[in-house]
Amino acid sequence: MDKILFNKMEFWGYHGAFKEENTLGQRFYVDLEIYFDLSKAGHSDNLKDTVNYADIYKTTQQVVENEKYELVEAIAERLAAKILDSYLLIDEILVRVTKPDPPIPGHYQSVAVEIKRSRERANG
């Protein structure tokens, strides 16, 4: 299946299980793979036959920067559901949310959650 990729979008959010994370905030990276048939847009060269990249970015930004969750898993689920609900052309979406430098013991470059949801699963 065809896909559109959004790579390493960077946002500042106030998510986490610790009070400091909710107060100070931190960076989050989001990657999206959006699956649907791109042939109509490829032939027509018309924006109405695809999804608007700027709109997808704004939707992602709104969730990460304006909502609060304790878990990265919850951010990913919210993004998947909101994008699938908003863009009927999309059949399936993969969402990866990365939290760089998490406040956990040991040395970690990052932790990430990756989920894949389809229109059937999102609505059923």
Side-chain angles (χ1 to χ4, degrees), residues 12 32 35 47 50 57 66-67 69 78 82 90 106-108 119:
W12 190 264
L32 303 175
Y35 297 86
L47 183 58
T50 189
Y57 178 88
N66 298 327
E67 299 179 16
Y69 299 97
R78 174 72 171 134
K82 190 163 188 173
I90 298 172
H107 179 73
Y108 296 85
R119 180 155 309 284

Side-chain angles (χ1 to χ4, degrees), residues 1 19 24 48 51 56-57 66 71 97 105 119:
M1 184 177 294
K19 182 180 177 184
L24 301 173
K48 72 176 178 61
V51 296
I56 297 285
Y57 178 88
N66 298 327
L71 302 178
V97 180
R119 180 155 309 284

Side-chain angles (χ1 to χ4, degrees), residues 70-89:
E70 286 189 19
L71 302 178
V72 177
E73 293 87 338
I75 301 168
E77 285 291 347
R78 174 72 171 134
L79 281 169
K82 190 163 188 173
I83 291 170
L84 284 172
D85 288 346
S86 299
Y87 305 95
L88 298 179
L89 289 173

Side-chain angles (χ1 to χ4, degrees), residues 76-123:
E77 285 291 347
R78 174 72 171 134
L79 281 169
K82 190 163 188 173
I83 291 170
L84 284 172
D85 288 346
S86 299
Y87 305 95
L88 298 179
L89 289 173
I90 298 172
D91 297 316
E92 195 169 70
I93 186 169
L94 182 139
V95 178
R96 181 182 309 108
V97 180
T98 302
K99 184 177 189 174
D101 304 313
I104 51 180
H107 179 73
Y108 296 85
Q109 181 178 4
S110 66
V111 295
V113 169
E114 181 177 281
I115 64 169
K116 193 172 196 179
R117 300 292 180 261
S118 64
R119 180 155 309 284
E120 297 81 33
R121 185 171 176 184
N123 292 331

Side-chain angles (χ1 to χ4, degrees), residues 55-67:
D55 290 345
I56 297 285
Y57 178 88
K58 287 177 190 173
T59 297
T60 305
Q61 182 181 34
Q62 190 278 325
V63 169
V64 178
E65 292 186 350
N66 298 327
E67 299 179 16

